[in-house]
Amino acid sequence: MKITADTKICMIIGDPVEHSLSPQIHNAGYESLGIDGEYVYIASHVETPKLADFIKGMRAIKIRGVAVKAPHKITIMQYLDEIDETAQKIGAVNTIVNNEGILRGYNTDWMGVVSPLEKRTTLKDKAVALIGAGGAARAASYGITRKGAKLNIFNRTIEKATELANEFGGNAYSLQDLNEIKNMDIVINSTSIGLPPFENKVPVSSEYINQKQIIYDLTYILHGKTLFIDQAEKKRAITITGAEMLLAQGFAQFKLFTNHDAPEEAMRKALI
Ligand code: ATR
């Protein structure tokens, strides 16, 4: 045990948070860099009515960094001193850094979407189908358009797709228009389809998927893979699982909290 009176605390908060793997992932990163006496990473279940108190506590005990999970990514913003420009554009904060008492909010979710894709392709001018128009889709929309790809949003509630497409620049479709997916280079699922109770459903039927496409399911399940990924593999598409999103957004958080580049392999090993 290397923890001392000087150890800085980083943590994840959410409701729920009990199943979060971030403590294992980040602590494994600290250990691999030999900074596990300098930093420790914990998790705390914080309910929405307690967010203001949490922020007071963060200031009082000088917590260095906080990863913010659902449902707090929007509500937390009002309590911070500064919001970085990207987080402002996305309209959500998933990372707080405490710099000598100044709390600044960031968003690394968009990098969680973009960097696993950029390891496989260049995004510029690619046609991207984004399924869903909720919170995760906002970060994805920002990242996709920032990298110069063409955004096509498909959502059950077409109004929400239209709103997002107007804000970030792109086309909106309902789930009746899934035939269009055939022409897309990249398909990203940002809905919760694939998670219980929808584990036997897919966001896009495999008849629209082909081997030229990259299929990225932001939905993460601990053991195994989503049905969408399973079907895409059978179609010989290039697949990316939600584990990549979780890791990539965490790598960016690691850098913000510690100023060290994330030891990616050690952190990946801790997750898998
Ligand atoms: P998150 O923050 O994880 O993105 P969210 O903001 O609640 O969650 O958004 C959930 C998204 O999944 C929405 O796009 C939602 O579609 P609606 O806008 O029509 O509600 C989509 N979604 C959730 N369950 C779905 C289902 N069973 N079928 C189709 N879309 C679904």
Side-chain angles (χ1 to χ4, degrees), residues 151-185:
L151 177 63
N152 299 278
I153 304 172
F154 296 76
N155 197 46
R156 179 175 60 183
T157 313
I158 178 80
E159 292 77 15
K160 279 165 78 180
T162 306
E163 223 172 277
L164 207 56
N166 286 344
E167 187 174 342
F168 290 96
N171 303 311
Y173 299 92
S174 80
L175 296 184
Q176 273 70 57
D177 303 321
L178 288 178
N179 193 34
E180 294 291 328
I181 300 267
K182 284 180 180 160
N183 308 317
M184 303 288 163
D185 302 304

Side-chain angles (χ1 to χ4, degrees), residues 224-244:
K225 52 194 164 200
T226 58
L227 187 59
F228 187 39
I229 290 292
D230 189 52
Q231 291 187 353
E233 279 176 358
K234 288 186 177 125
K235 288 276 183 160
R236 297 174 187 276
I238 298 167
T239 57
I240 311 177
T241 70
E244 293 292 317

Side-chain angles (χ1 to χ4, degrees), residues 132-136 155-157 160 175 190-193 198 201:
N155 197 46
R156 179 175 60 183
T157 313
K160 279 165 78 180
L175 296 184
S190 75
T191 74
S192 36
I193 298 171
F198 305 117
K201 285 187 71 180

Side-chain angles (χ1 to χ4, degrees), residues 13-17 44-56 68-79:
I13 61 165
D15 179 17
V17 84
S44 180
H45 179 189
V46 177
E47 291 162 0
T48 304
K50 298 282 185 196
L51 270 185
D53 287 345
F54 170 79
I55 292 291
K56 281 187 197 154
V68 183
K69 249 175 68 109
H72 303 321
K73 292 183 186 184
I74 297 169
T75 321
I76 199 83
M77 294 172 81
Q78 63 190 293
Y79 303 113

